Amino acid sequence: MTDQKNIVVIGGGITGLSTAYYLQKQIKEQGLPYQVRVIEASNHLGGMIHTEQKDGFTIERGPDSLLARKKSVFRLIEEVGMEDHIVPVSTGKSYVLAKGKLNEIPHGSFMGIPTQVSPFLFSGLFSPLGKLRAAGDFVKKPSKPNGDQSLGKFFRYRLGDEVVDNLIEPLLSGIYSGDIDQLSLMATFPNFYELEQKHGSIVKGLKQTVPKKKKSDKKPSVFRTLDTGLSSLVDAVHSKLDEGTVQLNTAVDHIEKKEEGYHLLLSSGEVEYADSVVITTPHYRAQRMLTQYDFMAPLAEMPATSVANVALAFDQSAIQKDIDGSGFLVSRNSDYRITACTWTHKKWPHTTPEGKALLRAYVGKPDDQEVVSLSDKEIEEIVLNDLNKTMNITEPPEFSVITRWRNSRAQYTIGHKERMEHIEQSLRDELPGVYLAGASYHGLGVPDCIDQGEEAVQRVLQYLDS
Ligand code: FAD
């Protein structure tokens, strides 16, 4: 063993890559005697970030939208010199498919919660009774502060079932690919609970905290992406890592605590020594590496849903009914199997050659998981059948790219935060220097993952310095 300390990052998705990048940056800046290794099970980096270039189309198999207000991803983009490739979303309008038709999302709603009264009153999404019930938010007492509750229960109590089913549920399920009646309020949107407690009403609370916009105001773009595809960020971060940092095609199967440091048993049969370890894999894989510790068991129980992303490329002439907007979400009580569709050629024009159209739909509702296992042909038929109910598509796609993301969407169910606190405290007590970061733990958007990577860097450096 040398004096140099070895930090191993397990998993080469965006969490693992940003962890490795910021670790090496700090090591260089502070002249620390540490080295970093990234061990990745598959044959490529990026994890769920995966761009495919085909016939002039840029197809995102995984994420395509970076939330503009979350800064860590743009900081990373700048760090690796990709800032000139940031492009804003090109249209603000989006729709919810409810009551058999596309309804524009009311102006001024934030995650489906109205912050302006008139667009909400004139929306065709809700009946007069549903609107009246939503006004209950102004008079209903704050929920009792007795622990966690589901997102669904919280919003149903404040705004009623109709607003939840026709607007809030499609928006939030779109983010979490889960059932909002099972998902934890405190692990996903604790700020709504805080607004309720502070202002007595989430609508009042939002009105006071979200800056007012006039309809005539030029909307700042809510989402951004890279015109070179999000895999180009992965490549750029990789290119900044020291040579030999990354080892592909190697899974970490097991972690053992030794008198000093840790032994990582690799799928190659080799053993890697580590002074500190950052595990950035999905939760169920992390649990399998540490099965000997009972405190990790809740990660084996934690659900994860599957989705399939279906990209369909057309000649523009095949789509007879063109719609002005970036796409639509589908309400749970609609008779559709797709959960959402992005008109990618409109949302991100750089992705599509002139005269062509690119649609990107999702299947895999929480109660329709079996659809993800159907054949490509069957999935394509389901998607086209649903799309034709609103879009009048007259020709088959020129090609399709179907990506199944099995058990990819970690579900932060009620009590998630407390469970994570317990697991992380136990790690500190029993496995000092071992950290969890990534989509299964404290936020699943790309920026949330980078935030966790940055936080893991601080923890590792503090630990090794102590
Ligand atoms: P992953 O990307 O899952 O990376 C984990 C890595 O660990 C993988 O490369 C895996 O191969 C590796 N691994 C697993 N087991 C082992 C092992 N035993 N040893 C070594 N390596 C191992 N987010 C947004 O912000 N905007 C979006 O528009 C958006 N859209 C999405 C669309 C889809 C279809 C999906 C699936 C996700 C989307 N997300 C979006 C979420 C976001 O992409 C992910 O949460 C994020 O990329 C996860 O990054 P990660 O590094 O934590 O995990």
Side-chain angles (χ1 to χ4, degrees):
M1 233 176 285
T2 63
D3 283 348
Q4 197 172 52
K5 290 191 171 162
N6 200 27
I7 306 165
V8 176
V9 177
I10 308 177
I14 195 65
T15 309
L17 286 173
S18 48
T19 306
Y21 171 79
Y22 284 117
L23 272 171
Q24 288 188 341
K25 188 177 176 202
Q26 294 274 331
I27 289 169
K28 278 174 207 145
E29 282 176 6
Q30 297 181 40
L32 299 167
Y34 307 154
Q35 69 159 10
V36 181
R37 301 253 296 135
V38 175
I39 299 184
E40 164 57 45
S42 74
N43 63 1
H44 62 274
L45 292 172
M48 295 183 214
I49 298 181
H50 192 160
T51 313
E52 180 157 330
Q53 308 284 352
K54 187 172 163 69
D55 297 352
F57 291 86
T58 300
I59 295 166
E60 297 288 5
R61 288 174 173 268
D64 71 345
S65 304
L66 305 173
L67 205 48
R69 69 184 157 83
K70 296 204 170 178
K71 300 298 174 212
S72 58
V73 64
F74 301 103
R75 251 192 338 261
L76 183 65
I77 289 171
E78 271 185 38
E79 286 275 340
V80 298
M82 296 288 291
E83 63 274 24
D84 291 347
H85 293 284
I86 298 173
V87 284
V89 67
S90 76
T91 163
K93 269 192 201 168
S94 40
Y95 299 80
V96 175
L97 201 145
K99 302 180 177 177
K101 62 179 175 53
L102 293 178
N103 304 270
E104 197 178 330
I105 294 181
H107 180 76
S109 52
F110 183 83
M111 291 291 168
I113 299 145
T115 61
Q116 291 178 24
V117 174
S118 62
F120 184 78
L121 282 180
F122 290 109
S123 170
L125 269 171
F126 322 108
S127 68
L129 219 59
K131 290 171 189 171
L132 199 66
R133 170 61 186 86
D137 176 59
F138 291 116
V139 291
K140 286 210 165 255
K141 284 191 186 132
S143 46
K144 291 207 177 75
N146 54 358
D148 202 0
Q149 57 184 308
S150 77
L151 274 170
K153 184 177 174 202
F154 176 78
F155 286 122
R156 286 180 200 288
Y157 170 69
R158 299 241 50 99
L159 298 161
D161 287 344
E162 222 181 296
V163 171
V164 170
D165 291 335
N166 289 355
L167 187 55
I168 295 178
E169 190 275 336
L171 281 163
L172 298 187
S173 309
I175 300 171
Y176 291 98
S177 308
D179 178 352
I180 66 160
D181 291 308
Q182 307 289 329
L183 293 176
S184 153
L185 173 68
M186 298 314 272
T188 54
F189 290 103
N191 49 325
F192 286 132
Y193 176 73
E194 282 151 23
L195 284 179
E196 183 211 39
Q197 296 295 312
K198 188 164 170 211
H199 300 272
S201 142
I202 45 175
V203 175
K204 274 192 210 161
L206 275 179
K207 275 173 93 70
Q208 290 183 28
T209 47
V210 172
K212 268 207 187 84
K213 276 181 266 161
K214 290 191 210 109
K215 199 154 190 190
S216 55
D217 281 354
K218 197 174 173 305
K219 280 190 188 164
S221 58
V222 178
F223 294 112
R224 295 181 189 155
T225 197
L226 293 177
D227 62 6
T228 37
L230 291 182
S231 283
S232 64
L233 172 62
V234 170
D235 296 340
V237 177
H238 184 199
S239 73
K240 298 279 176 191
L241 298 180
D242 296 342
E243 225 183 299
T245 302
V246 174
Q247 182 169 345
L248 294 175
N249 299 307
T250 310
V252 174
D253 290 335
H254 195 65
I255 302 176
E256 271 174 25
K257 187 172 186 229
K258 294 289 160 190
E259 210 161 298
E260 260 189 58
Y262 297 93
H263 278 180
L264 276 52
L265 275 49
L266 308 184
S267 55
S268 59
E270 287 165 329
V271 175
E272 173 98 11
Y273 173 82
D275 294 280
S276 183
V277 182
V278 184
I279 306 174
T280 73
T281 67
H283 52 285
Y284 46 91
R285 298 226 184 264
Q287 189 273 336
R288 268 183 242 156
M289 290 171 211
L290 291 164
T291 41
Q292 67 276 40
Y293 294 95
D294 288 346
F295 67 80
M296 292 291 282
L299 295 184
E301 308 286 308
M302 182 177 168
T305 54
S306 304
V307 294
N309 166 330
V310 183
L312 302 167
F314 295 94
D315 195 86
Q316 187 92 63
S317 61
I319 295 171
Q320 295 300 308
K321 205 166 145 194
D322 211 5
I323 302 156
D324 173 26
S326 60
F328 64 89
L329 299 154
V330 180
S331 85
R332 180 150 69 171
N333 41 27
S334 290
D335 173 25
Y336 277 59
R337 287 186 87 177
I338 59 170
T339 56
C341 175
T342 306
W343 299 313
T344 308
H345 56 295
K346 298 205 162 191
K347 185 176 178 185
W348 309 116
H350 66 272
T351 60
T352 311
E354 202 59 39
K356 303 285 177 187
L358 180 62
L359 306 180
R360 206 171 83 126
Y362 280 103
V363 290
K365 287 182 189 177
D367 59 358
D368 185 23
Q369 290 284 285
E370 57 285 358
V371 69
V372 177
S373 299
L374 297 179
S375 69
D376 280 9
K377 192 165 173 285
E378 287 167 313
I379 292 180
E380 191 180 307
E381 261 172 37
I382 288 169
V383 170
L384 282 170
N385 184 38
D386 274 356
L387 291 180
N388 257 321
K389 294 178 194 162
T390 54
M391 295 187 71
N392 191 12
I393 299 170
T394 54
E395 286 163 42
E398 290 181 356
F399 67 84
S400 61
V401 176
I402 298 180
T403 313
R404 292 170 186 76
W405 293 104
R406 289 205 166 85
N407 302 322
S408 61
R409 312 295 281 161
Q411 300 294 297
Y412 298 179
T413 52
I414 301 165
H416 176 81
K417 235 176 129 185
E418 288 77 32
R419 286 191 293 277
M420 283 310 303
E421 272 164 21
H422 181 256
I423 291 167
E424 287 175 329
Q425 185 56 52
S426 306
L427 279 173
R428 280 192 291 276
D429 294 342
E430 299 196 33
L431 300 170
V434 176
Y435 303 96
L436 292 170
S440 288
Y441 313 108
H442 298 289
L444 41 70
V446 169
D448 306 310
C449 292
I450 297 170
D451 283 337
Q452 292 175 65
E454 289 189 59
E455 208 175 309
V457 169
Q458 296 317 316
R459 294 205 170 135
V460 167
L461 295 181
Q462 255 170 31
Y463 169 72
L464 292 179
D465 191 36
S466 61

